[in-house]
Amino acid sequence: MIGYYVHHQGRGHLHRALAVQQALDEPVTVLSSLAPPTGHPGDWVHLDRDDLGIEPREPTAGGRLHWVPVGDDGLAARMQQLSAWLATARPRLLVSDVSVEVALLARLHGVPVVGVVLPGRRDDAAHLLGFDVADRLVAMWPPTATPAMLPGLPARVVRRVEAVGALSRQPVCEPAGAGGRRPGPPRVVVLGGAGGSAISAEALAAAMRSAPGWEWQVCGPPGPWVADPHALVCDADVVITHAGQNAVAEVAAARRPAVLVPQDRPHEEQRVSAAAIGAGGWPVLVEETFPSDGWAARLERAAALDGRRWASWCDGAAAQRFAAVLAGDPVGAPA
């Protein structure tokens, strides 16, 4: 049996866990502060939140960890819940997606750890500790992108990273040819994220006015939340999105060209990711901030990019490769 720790921020961690669970041949227990999705078939351990206190004290333990605020009742309860489960369930291994503290706790219980590696500048002491205690490290991008996705990380860590390709919860959808395009004006989908959006409603309205020949569909902040925008993304001529791993994977699986507008996240996660994707030959334009004008020409440039070039980023087999890592098998690179 495998334990899979799912961080509660965003939804990419959860989507990965569910996809990998389906690809595995052994039971998986999810441990998370999130509620289980409706109809979830496996075991789920609900953890107390450790970030609801006021003015956390010494949360990094002198820079050695990321989040261990002194005197926080939620942290104490959360760690007790994890420790009790580790001691009684005795999992074969634990996936940490993502927490240095959870990885360290599992290893202190004698449980092997597979750590998920996120993009960004992660050469701080806490990240290095998490990487070093993990038995294997898995990343959701193609192997060729690893150096650019992890700038500044020591070579001893980089060479341990097993990149399995971008993991989408949706199957790859090859774009239809010119004869299969739906009638009507070109369509752009703005794909927001569960972690919020830096795009204001005013800037978005101005962008729409600057490209009146396009049909705009907004999914997520600053528009209404859409739990599964897959059909809309597949039907788009261009997707505008942030540079979160889950959003990029969904766009790549749909083989749609994109305009990436990275948002500020810890460790420069999205900015590093967007820069690496933009420089790697994948079908994107990158804007450091969301422009409020000039979208007619920008969307035309993006629409001219070949969405099929996403195949080397996301080929639809990442969940199976991740499952092979958890089974202890060698992992081949994406085609």
Side-chain angles (χ1 to χ4, degrees), residues 161 232 308 328:
V161 174
L232 294 172
R308 293 172 297 182

Side-chain angles (χ1 to χ4, degrees), residues 223-240:
W225 176 250
V226 177
D228 185 2
H230 179 63
L232 294 172
V233 171
C234 286
D235 194 41
D237 294 281
V238 176
V239 179
I240 301 169

Side-chain angles (χ1 to χ4, degrees), residues 18-115:
L18 298 178
V20 172
Q21 182 180 25
Q22 291 179 354
L24 282 166
D25 292 327
E26 65 180 301
V28 175
T29 295
V30 177
L31 305 105
S32 180
S33 297
L34 295 172
T38 301
H40 181 263
D43 292 331
W44 193 285
V45 176
H46 187 266
L47 304 174
D48 284 9
R49 290 283 290 264
D50 61 354
D51 57 352
L52 301 180
I54 299 174
E55 297 184 1
R57 292 190 295 126
E58 301 178 30
T60 69
R64 296 300 301 176
L65 296 169
H66 283 147
W67 190 253
V68 284
V70 170
D72 188 285
D73 291 340
L75 175 68
R78 181 187 189 84
M79 288 303 175
Q80 189 278 330
Q81 291 160 347
L82 283 164
S83 184
W85 182 82
L86 288 165
T88 58
R90 303 303 300 168
R92 183 175 65 81
L93 60 85
L94 181 128
V95 180
S96 175
D97 187 0
V98 177
S99 168
V100 171
E101 293 76 27
V102 171
L104 185 59
L105 183 67
R107 199 63 189 85
L108 287 169
H109 281 75
V111 176
V113 173
V114 173

Side-chain angles (χ1 to χ4, degrees), residues 64-65 100 104 124-134:
R64 296 300 301 176
L65 296 169
V100 171
L104 185 59
D124 57 278
H127 270 113
L128 293 178
L129 174 61
F131 297 148
D132 287 344
V133 302

Side-chain angles (χ1 to χ4, degrees), residues 200-215:
S200 69
E202 293 76 15
L204 184 58
M208 292 178 177
R209 290 193 296 270
S210 76
W214 285 71
E215 178 183 328

Side-chain angles (χ1 to χ4, degrees), residues 32 68 103 116 123 165 190 224 239 257 265 271 307 314 317 330:
S32 180
V68 284
V116 173
D123 55 351
V190 182
V239 179
R265 292 291 185 267
R271 298 200 177 279
C314 174

